[in-house]
Amino acid sequence: MPKKTKSIKKSDIKADKPWLKKVGFTSYREESKATKKTFLIICEGQTESLYFSSFPILSAKVITYDIGCSNNRLVECAVDLAATGGYDEVWCVFDMDTKPDHSGQDDDFNSAIQLCANTGLKCAYSNDAFELWIYLHYHFTDQRNHRNFYYEQLSQIFGINYSKQGKKRKFSSEIYQLLKNDERANQNDAIQRSKTLVARHADLPPHIQNPVTYVHELVEELNKHLTER
């Protein structure tokens, strides 16, 4: 017949009862138990949201949302969600998305980044596109490019029509693993290349910084909590 076990009262643990030391259970052990860090990541599009939610995180909790809207509105939504509490880090992920026939894009982009700084949110923005981050896993570029350049390059790299298939949910949810398994791709190189671009454009207004991406900063934070390091 199996030996009966005695349940441990929380009141005894808090009181640090001597008898608990016989079973190696102390109040210190309970209080030192690590609480998982929580990331709230508000993204402009589905690609970014699915990419970050694909990280094999163990020691943290990652919550992502994609809310297609203007940069400023995205940050305002992030501020509202952050106010609900329970998040250790709140990140906004968006890009410049240059459209020649749209006015006010520069101001919207710049003010959204400033709003993040003013409200204590972290910002992983890209200019011109999030796809720059993916491209940097393979090659370095310091040329001012429109997103169509990255779509064409990634189409060749992945052997698909990226502007169509690359934006679908299935492909977006597999990008993290695809990059990890592709011998041609290297995340560490992408991080270093991103840092080089940031350093080169540090003195310019965000809407002029092209190419640049701060996605590596969020990636580095998430990497601290991976199941495999």
Side-chain angles (χ1 to χ4, degrees), residues 64-212:
T64 68
Y65 292 101
D66 59 277
I67 49 173
C69 58
S70 68
N71 299 151
N72 261 301
R73 182 56 189 146
L74 181 146
V75 178
E76 290 169 356
C77 289
V79 171
D80 291 341
L81 286 169
T84 63
Y87 305 110
D88 297 293
E89 291 190 19
V90 180
W91 287 79
C92 294
V93 181
F94 55 87
D95 51 33
M96 181 65 184
D97 193 11
T98 303
K99 296 175 181 173
D101 56 339
H102 284 61
S103 61
Q105 294 177 87
D106 295 352
D107 290 340
D108 181 58
F109 188 64
N110 294 342
S111 60
I113 294 168
Q114 187 60 53
L115 182 57
C116 283
N118 294 344
T119 55
L121 305 186
K122 297 179 182 294
C123 185
Y125 67 84
S126 301
N127 189 353
D128 174 70
F130 173 78
E131 279 72 19
L132 166 61
W133 165 248
I134 302 175
Y135 178 80
L136 291 175
H137 284 70
Y138 296 91
H139 305 290
F140 176 76
T141 181
D142 60 358
Q143 299 299 307
R144 187 179 180 86
N145 296 309
H146 184 266
R147 63 188 51 227
N148 288 341
F149 168 81
Y150 302 113
Y151 290 180
E152 292 170 1
Q153 293 297 312
L154 295 180
S155 292
Q156 295 178 24
I157 290 171
F158 298 135
I160 63 171
N161 183 331
Y162 184 86
S163 63
K164 293 183 178 180
Q165 295 166 267
K167 290 298 183 179
K168 291 185 177 180
R169 185 176 188 84
K170 183 179 185 301
F171 186 85
S172 296
S173 64
E174 295 173 350
I175 289 178
Y176 177 88
Q177 201 62 38
L178 188 156
L179 293 172
K180 181 179 179 181
N181 295 336
D182 191 343
E183 293 182 354
R184 300 169 298 169
N186 190 299
Q187 188 188 91
N188 288 330
D189 287 347
I191 290 172
Q192 294 308 313
R193 289 164 179 164
S194 295
K195 290 181 177 179
T196 297
L197 292 176
V198 167
R200 291 185 182 182
H201 296 91
D203 297 329
L204 298 173
H207 74 283
I208 300 296
Q209 299 173 3
N210 185 345
V212 78

